[in-house]
Amino acid sequence: MLAQMAVSGIALGAIYGLVALGIVLVYRATGVINFAHGEGVMISAFIAWTLLEAGVPYWLAAILTIAAAALIGLAIEVVLIGRFIGKPLLANAIATLGLYLILGDVAVWIWGKDPHDMAGPFSQAPILIGGVAVSLADLGIIATCLVLSAALFAFFRYARTGIAMQAAMSNETAARLQGVPVARMHGLAWMLSYMVGAVAGLLIAPLTFLHFTMMQQALHFAFAAAVLGGLTSMPGALIGGAIVGLTANLTGAYVDSAFKEFMPFLVMLAILIVKPSGLLGRHATKKI
């Protein structure tokens, strides 16, 4: 039972980690905390559902959804968020909160308020591993998270564009002096963020009803994961997601389901008291 709940918690945490990864990507690249990221994930899930309802094969629908999410992310950065980069944090926050309301209303206008079922990429059938029954869906979610994480690592480590993006994230001024098109890197960060979010949407929608409010709770946990791992650390976002998902699942199973909602936040606060920058975040200091 413990092992089964642990695997399920890590799978759920992997989804939170992917959402948190999208938040961290945008924050590192542009300094903007995207409070509308969950709505972007929700919109992506609805796009996938629409394609599936139209008879498009699942994997083709998934590819088209990720491509559509990339275009949405780029459009948001070019039309709206790009104008707020470098502005005070409060202005950025208000802009993304406004975007949160707009995307939610757009979803209601297009798809309505009724919940929908959505097929997932993996079977819910259990299999036995070492005498422990685990869901194929849980294993598939964990594997997807690991593969996507490895792909992103390879992109940032070996691809020329990924290296340029890392440079722009680390020091914009130095990157500009080296000829890196920083504005283009900002757009790419938003594209990647929404592409990762689309994958998270494809994974989480089959576990819940597809609804315009489906990401509200998940976004809370994703923000907790991002802050817990260190808001500037991409690996930290994934580790934070695993901790949040595992904590919530085990608390609901062995303590009380009423505590499931806030226990991950207690863990987050406890860790931040000891390490304010998060598990893998770096404490920034300025010399005057």
Side-chain angles (χ1 to χ4, degrees):
M1 177 65 175
L2 176 60
Q4 185 177 355
M5 293 303 297
V7 172
S8 179
I10 291 173
L12 194 58
I15 298 176
Y16 297 150
L18 289 180
V19 180
L21 183 58
I23 294 170
V24 169
L25 276 168
V26 163
Y27 179 73
R28 280 199 61 188
T30 64
V32 175
I33 298 178
N34 184 16
F35 291 103
H37 189 64
E39 302 306 281
V41 174
M42 175 267 296
I43 291 285
S44 297
F46 268 115
I47 291 173
W49 176 80
T50 302
L51 292 171
L52 292 173
E53 288 294 299
V56 178
Y58 185 89
W59 294 108
L60 177 58
I63 293 171
L64 293 175
T65 297
I66 294 170
L71 293 177
I72 292 171
L74 179 61
I76 289 173
E77 197 279 332
V78 171
V79 175
L80 177 64
I81 300 299
R83 306 174 188 274
F84 288 89
I85 294 174
K87 297 294 191 297
L89 186 61
L90 181 60
N92 293 330
I94 291 174
T96 59
L97 285 172
L99 181 62
Y100 164 84
L101 296 174
I102 291 170
L103 292 179
D105 286 345
V106 167
V108 171
W109 176 55
I110 297 176
W111 292 286
K113 295 184 178 181
D114 295 331
H116 304 282
D117 288 322
M118 179 174 160
F122 307 111
S123 169
Q124 294 288 342
I127 60 171
L128 287 175
I129 299 179
V132 178
V134 295
S135 168
L136 279 173
D138 289 341
L139 296 178
I141 290 170
I142 295 171
T144 300
C145 179
L146 292 175
V147 170
L148 182 57
S149 301
L152 285 172
F153 172 81
F155 171 73
F156 284 113
R157 181 70 174 82
Y158 300 109
R160 185 173 180 177
T161 302
I163 295 171
M165 192 173 172
Q166 282 272 58
M169 288 177 173
S170 300
N171 190 318
E172 285 193 9
T173 302
R176 282 194 177 95
L177 292 175
Q178 293 296 321
V180 175
V182 173
R184 192 181 301 172
M185 295 301 105
H186 290 165
L188 180 59
W190 277 82
M191 290 178 69
L192 283 176
S193 172
Y194 273 66
M195 290 169 72
V196 172
V199 175
L202 289 166
L203 295 176
I204 198 171
L207 304 180
T208 63
F209 285 112
L210 184 59
H211 192 255
F212 74 98
T213 62
M214 60 177 278
M215 287 302 299
Q216 289 183 1
Q217 183 190 64
L219 186 63
H220 296 160
F221 284 152
F223 267 112
V227 174
L228 176 60
L231 199 52
T232 59
S233 172
M234 288 182 279
L238 298 173
I239 294 171
I243 293 173
V244 167
L246 191 60
T247 302
N249 239 33
L250 294 182
T251 300
Y254 292 101
V255 181
D256 192 318
S257 59
F259 298 151
K260 182 178 180 179
E261 303 297 328
F262 69 83
M263 188 58 72
F265 294 93
L266 289 180
V267 173
M268 179 192 74
L269 290 173
I271 291 177
L272 291 181
I273 288 172
V274 178
K275 197 173 188 298
S277 58
L279 292 174
L280 299 182
R282 294 181 178 180
H283 181 67
T285 57
K286 290 185 178 180
K287 295 182 179 180
I288 299 176

